[in-house]
Amino acid sequence: APDPPDLRDVKGLKLKTDRERARIIREGHRSTGMLPITKLTKADYDDIIEHLEDFWGVRNDKLLYIHHPIWLYEFGDTAFVAKDAGRVVAYIFGFVSQTDPQLAYGQALACLADYRGQGVVERVSLRFLEEVRARGCTRIKVMVFPKNFRSLLFHMKMGFQPEGTERDPNGVRIVKDYWGPGLDYVVMYRPTAP
């Protein structure tokens, strides 16, 4: 079936009934960034693992490590995906901290290049935020590699602020040795309240 019209184009909009409009909102539409956001399933997880290189530009052991099946089997109720035509196009893996139940942690967030800049990854992130807020979390934490400028800018746009007093050679605020000796990371937090 052809894509429905762009919902932002009022003149070209041919959805005449509330039922037609509700279906598009429920099922999503790529040009609006309103793709369906659902909890991670086994089929979604397999799709992500099969296409890691499409999301990240590389495929290596470190990526497999951060995409451990624990995100499906133990934390699947706080992992979300956006799909277009049945294929995962964006996802977030996260959980509620066991040591601080008011803190949520976002582990992996990715979006296919063709879907960036359309609001899809923002909606996946906000769905995670809504879920953990409903579970009593007041803050979300993420860690970003200091040279991942795209991710740093995205998270800052989403309201995350870096902690730490030291700066790397590019002027990015870091937590020294966060991941171990010589492994500095940007540790960022944001409140779950709007």
Side-chain angles (χ1 to χ4, degrees):
D3 271 346
D6 186 337
L7 297 178
R8 296 170 295 188
D9 179 10
V10 177
K11 292 179 183 174
L13 196 60
K14 295 184 175 41
L15 301 174
K16 303 294 183 196
T17 68
D18 286 341
R19 186 176 190 173
E20 289 173 317
R21 286 186 280 280
R23 180 182 60 80
I24 294 305
I25 291 169
R26 184 178 63 253
E27 295 175 9
H29 183 266
R30 179 178 179 180
S31 69
T32 64
M34 292 184 62
L35 297 173
I37 309 292
T38 60
K39 289 191 177 183
L40 180 71
T41 66
K42 173 70 165 115
D44 298 334
Y45 177 79
D46 291 346
D47 187 25
I48 291 166
I49 295 302
E50 185 177 343
H51 297 100
L52 273 180
E53 191 168 345
D54 296 341
F55 285 102
W56 295 88
V58 296
R59 183 181 180 95
N60 58 39
D61 289 343
K62 184 176 180 182
L63 275 177
L64 288 174
Y65 168 73
I66 66 170
H67 289 79
H68 192 284
I70 195 171
W71 300 111
L72 169 67
Y73 297 115
E74 276 65 52
F75 298 112
D77 63 342
T78 53
F80 297 92
V81 298
K83 292 196 252 185
D84 189 10
R87 178 162 184 212
V88 175
V89 299
Y91 62 91
I92 185 168
F93 297 163
F95 60 91
V96 175
S97 170
Q98 298 298 300
T99 57
D100 179 357
Q102 292 188 323
L103 179 67
Y105 178 74
Q107 165 68 16
L109 174 66
C111 184
L112 292 176
D114 289 348
Y115 291 81
R116 293 181 188 146
Q118 298 179 34
V120 178
V121 75
E122 288 88 346
R123 289 190 61 241
V124 171
S125 298
L126 290 173
R127 179 63 188 92
F128 173 70
L129 183 145
E130 291 167 2
E131 180 69 29
V132 298
R133 181 174 47 217
R135 293 172 183 231
C137 294
T138 58
R139 295 184 318 150
I140 298 177
K141 174 182 179 178
V142 297
M143 291 185 331
V144 179
F145 185 66
K147 292 182 181 176
N148 189 344
F149 299 115
R150 178 184 299 156
S151 181
L152 290 170
L153 290 172
F154 169 79
H155 283 94
M156 288 169 60
K157 178 181 144 190
M158 294 293 291
F160 285 86
Q161 295 297 319
E163 75 167 19
T165 56
E166 297 194 40
R167 296 189 182 266
D168 76 354
N170 293 313
V172 176
R173 269 192 0 203
I174 57 168
V175 176
K176 195 99 175 121
D177 299 328
Y178 187 84
W179 200 302
L183 298 172
D184 308 331
Y185 264 78
V186 180
V187 180
M188 307 176 85
Y189 293 90
R190 73 153 281 171
T192 58

